Amino acid sequence: MRILIALTLALTATSGCAVLDRLKPATAATAATAAPDASDASEPVAAAPAPVLGAGGNTAAALDTTTAAQKQAALAAPAASGERELGKVTVSLGSPAEPGIWLRSALVTAPGKGRVVTASGQSVAVDLLPGQGAAQLSLAAYMALGLSLTALPEVTVFAN
């Protein structure tokens, strides 16, 4: 009887591992070595190549759709006389698919125009957008300010 229980537990544990392996997402290495279905025996199976930065339209410069004139105007925009400081916030990179020079933050209650200033004193005019959670700065604003795309800089936010 003990042998039967031990054998049942061993088989259950082994079959559980196979179930867990099917739940894990396939990596490029396992996808490339996976055997094709019998129904697809006539077609060879190949893993999709990994994207290479710079090979297509997937670089930061390619995703930034703002014009040089727009960036120049945003960087040259002087501080408005009636602007008010909304506060300081740490920003992360916003969606690269969303064009423009903008800041989305909980500090902003209504859409408008404003400016962000980095700790080093660099400034860029932005569209202020209300948001929730972590503040986000657009790809174009990151690039105009010369920030690393992986940086989490603290900026001071001003509204016009």
Side-chain angles (χ1 to χ4, degrees):
M1 182 69 167
R2 287 184 192 165
I3 295 173
L4 183 60
I5 292 173
L7 184 58
T8 304
L9 289 175
L11 288 175
T12 304
T14 307
S15 66
C17 291
V19 170
L20 290 177
D21 284 343
R22 281 186 253 136
L23 294 177
K24 289 192 290 186
T27 62
T30 58
T33 59
D37 284 339
S39 62
D40 293 340
S42 62
E43 297 180 28
V45 175
V52 179
L53 286 177
N58 54 359
T59 63
L63 292 171
D64 182 6
T65 59
T66 55
T67 65
Q70 290 170 321
K71 287 180 194 172
Q72 184 88 15
L75 289 170
S81 60
E83 75 179 7
R84 68 189 193 296
E85 182 176 331
L86 297 180
K88 292 185 180 195
V89 66
T90 301
V91 295
S92 64
L93 180 63
S95 172
E98 192 171 340
I101 301 175
W102 50 265
L103 169 82
R104 180 173 285 118
S105 171
L107 294 176
V108 180
T109 57
K113 298 290 184 184
R115 183 171 64 96
V116 296
V117 181
T118 65
S120 64
Q122 295 173 299
S123 172
V124 66
V126 295
D127 291 324
L128 298 174
L129 304 171
Q132 296 177 349
Q136 296 180 331
L137 192 60
S138 70
L139 173 64
Y142 256 77
M143 293 182 69
L145 292 169
L147 299 171
S148 166
L149 298 181
T150 58
L152 298 172
E154 182 177 70
V155 297
T156 305
V157 181
F158 295 91
N160 294 345

